[in-house]
Amino acid sequence: MKILVVGSGGREHALAWKIAQSPRIQTVYVAPGNGGTALDQRLENINITDPAELADFVVREHVALTVVGPETPLAAGIVNIFRDRGLKIFGPTREAAQLESSKDFAKSFMQRHHIPTAEYQTFSDVDAAHQYIDQKGAPIVIKADGLAAGKGVVVAMTLEEAHGAVDMMLSDNRLGDAGARVVIEEFLAGEEASFIVMVDGKNILPLATSQDHKRLKDDDQGPNTGGMGAYSPAPIVTPALHARVMREIITPTVQGMAKDGIPFSGFLYAGLMIDDKGNPKTLEFNCRMGDPETQPIMARLKTDLLTVMEHAVTGTLDTIELEWDRRTALGVVMAAAGYPDAPRKDDLISGIPAETADTVTFHAGTTLNGERLTTSGGRVLCVVGLGDSVKVAQKQAYNVIDSIHFSGAQFRRDIGWRALKKHA
Ligand SMILES: Nc1ncnc2c1ncn2[C@@H]1O[C@H](COP(=O)(O)OP(=O)(O)OP(=O)(O)O)[C@@H](O)[C@H]1O
Ligand SMILES: [Mg+2]
């Protein structure tokens, strides 16, 4: 069987790597893929990104099923295009992807369906936005309505920062259309967790829990990034909290979308803030898997992912269960010099060891030119270690990191610290 994975990041490498382990796989195509998917014998990169051309490719090559990694093609309607042509694809339609592509859509949806989230209001008028901020006070959070590649959220600790964020988005149009409307919401304190499930329009299959590390530097210092590391499971999500999130957030979301006439299928990612009393609130929805959460999650998945995907596109996710490696998987991102503002390209990468039973390195911003593997993006690699404890998994990952070299590599030394602190 032939499968297509759309995207080029670490998330897509991990998904393709896992799907390719199925004994029924002939080829897993990755469009456009990266240096790591080029190196893997079981994967094949294809240099197409236009959704209609991808659909043509799928028809021509008899690809059985397509899985979409990133949000941009989903928000642009790749699923609508494939479905109109009768092609099997796992992901939300353009309409359902609004849960991620419009913060205002997500907030009004949550309000309408009584899903716990921060109090908010949406503005396109600058003066009204400034007035609301003065009325509410700081800290307060300003979010661009549209997709802004991780640059659209300002957690303002002072009124000055909040007013500045509104001016940046609404007056100076620095984020273009994405920032033409802003959601201004209540600041929530607590610990974050990523809660990711698969949805087939109706049935929900939860994946293992995970936690990301957004800041560039150790101790959660430095600028926000796309994510510097993640591990699974996340001990903050206890079985009781898991049940509560399913009952109060995930199930009402899936049922609410169906009731509103835009059934959701695909990966549904709820970003949670859990307060000091253990109450969860929804910070955001993403309509895809997280990167780098996917990398440790896929490293722990034991069930054949191809079979899972087949159930996902035929609406039978209620008939299977997922089996997980009981160990902790911990992924550390190695980023390029200059990341996140201006990542440098074309640094030569060396020393990536072969995969073992407890380590695997997923590629993101890498390019293979003949024998030369070079950096070509902000987040370059995600090194995953597996172990019976967070500490052992961490040690496995950092042992591999210490053997990999590229000039100016940036990575954190403390991925997993929250879990280690809880343990201590
Ligand atoms: N109401 C809030 N209170 C406190 N912190 C918040 C709030 N909303 C967002 N944040 C912080 O800002 C980060 C980014 O916010 P959000 O997830 O809404 O943006 P995003 O750009 O969609 O992120 P992502 O790139 O993860 O999809 C969150 O992970 C969280 O750390
Ligand atoms: Mg988001």
Side-chain angles (χ1 to χ4, degrees):
M1 199 178 267
K2 295 174 172 177
I3 300 292
L4 170 65
V5 174
V6 178
S8 64
R11 165 183 51 213
E12 290 76 28
H13 187 192
L15 287 169
W17 169 86
K18 186 64 208 170
I19 292 170
Q21 289 173 8
S22 173
R24 292 183 291 131
I25 283 291
Q26 184 185 343
T27 311
V28 179
Y29 296 107
V30 190
N34 57 41
T37 54
L39 280 165
D40 190 325
Q41 299 300 319
R42 298 161 312 169
L43 311 180
E44 193 176 315
N45 287 353
I46 55 165
N47 196 15
I48 307 175
T49 47
D50 177 69
E53 283 177 40
L54 282 172
D56 291 340
F57 174 84
V58 158
V59 172
R60 197 164 63 235
E61 293 298 327
H62 306 288
V63 172
L65 197 159
T66 299
V67 180
V68 187
E71 64 276 18
T72 310
L74 293 166
I78 188 171
V79 171
N80 305 61
I81 291 170
F82 272 55
R83 288 213 188 135
D84 285 348
R85 295 180 61 171
L87 304 172
K88 287 206 169 79
I89 185 163
F90 184 60
T93 59
R94 180 196 293 117
E95 295 71 29
Q98 289 177 95
L99 272 183
E100 174 169 4
S101 66
S102 168
K103 298 274 189 206
D104 174 61
F105 176 94
K107 294 297 284 191
S108 66
F109 171 85
M110 285 189 272
Q111 199 169 52
R112 193 161 63 245
H113 293 281
H114 311 291
I115 294 160
T117 189
E119 185 199 318
Y120 85 105
Q121 225 164 293
T122 301
F123 299 92
S124 47
D125 181 74
V126 194
D127 295 335
H130 284 305
Q131 259 174 37
Y132 184 75
I133 289 169
D134 283 332
Q135 181 196 327
K136 291 289 172 184
I140 193 161
V141 181
I142 322 295
K143 300 185 173 185
D145 175 54
L147 294 178
K151 302 241 182 289
V153 173
V154 176
V155 179
M157 299 316 285
T158 64
L159 283 175
E160 285 78 359
E161 273 180 273
H163 288 300
V166 162
D167 285 335
M168 180 270 280
M169 293 179 201
L170 288 181
S171 307
D172 306 342
N173 290 323
R174 292 264 287 282
L175 301 175
D177 282 352
R181 279 197 301 174
V182 297
V183 163
I184 303 184
E185 70 177 31
E186 171 198 0
F187 172 84
L188 300 175
E191 182 173 340
E192 289 181 58
S194 309
F195 201 102
I196 308 173
V197 301
M198 291 177 73
V199 187
D200 64 12
K202 180 167 165 243
N203 305 296
I204 303 165
L205 186 66
L207 301 182
T209 59
S210 58
Q211 194 173 50
D212 188 8
H213 300 62
K214 285 279 178 202
R215 302 296 194 102
L216 181 69
K217 295 183 186 294
D218 284 12
D219 300 320
D220 291 337
Q221 302 294 310
N224 255 317
T225 69
M228 294 300 289
Y231 64 101
S232 170
I236 180 144
V237 186
T238 59
L241 180 62
H242 192 280
R244 196 167 156 197
V245 171
M246 287 298 288
R247 192 171 64 239
E248 294 180 8
I249 295 172
I250 303 294
T251 305
T253 299
V254 172
Q255 287 177 351
M257 290 294 281
K259 204 183 286 171
D260 291 353
I262 30 179
F264 189 95
S265 50
F267 292 107
L268 178 64
Y269 170 137
L272 305 177
M273 185 68 89
I274 298 144
D275 72 14
D276 55 3
K277 295 191 185 67
N279 299 309
K281 281 193 177 159
T282 316
L283 284 180
E284 63 148 348
F285 286 117
N286 293 316
C287 63
R288 35 112 188 144
M289 282 204 75
D291 190 329
E293 292 96 323
T294 307
Q295 291 86 317
I297 289 175
M298 285 302 126
R300 289 185 63 217
L301 182 63
K302 287 175 129 180
T303 315
D304 184 324
L305 185 56
L306 173 59
T307 305
V308 180
M309 286 296 172
E310 288 172 324
H311 282 284
V313 296
T314 51
T316 53
L317 281 178
D318 55 329
T319 63
I320 51 161
E321 264 179 58
L322 298 180
E323 204 192 329
W324 299 99
D325 193 321
R326 300 180 72 90
R327 292 176 297 170
T328 291
L330 185 142
V332 181
V333 169
M334 296 183 81
Y339 180 73
D341 291 336
R344 189 169 76 199
K345 293 184 179 177
D346 297 323
D347 283 307
L348 190 66
I349 307 167
S350 63
I352 300 177
E355 182 183 326
T356 65
D358 31 43
T359 61
V360 52
T361 300
F362 295 113
H363 292 231
T366 72
T367 302
L368 187 67
N369 268 317
E371 303 267 280
R372 265 174 71 89
L373 183 72
T374 54
T375 63
S376 58
R379 289 181 295 168
V380 177
L381 301 168
C382 178
V383 177
V384 178
L386 287 143
D388 287 330
S389 66
V390 176
K391 213 172 183 128
V392 176
Q394 200 183 50
K395 193 156 187 295
Q396 293 284 5
Y398 285 112
N399 276 346
V400 171
I401 292 235
D402 289 337
S403 77
I404 298 175
H405 179 79
F406 57 89
S407 175
Q410 304 187 77
F411 57 90
R412 284 177 59 159
R413 275 279 170 200
D414 67 342
I415 301 302
W417 70 270
R418 282 181 191 277
L420 288 171
K421 199 172 110 189
K422 273 199 181 61
H423 191 69

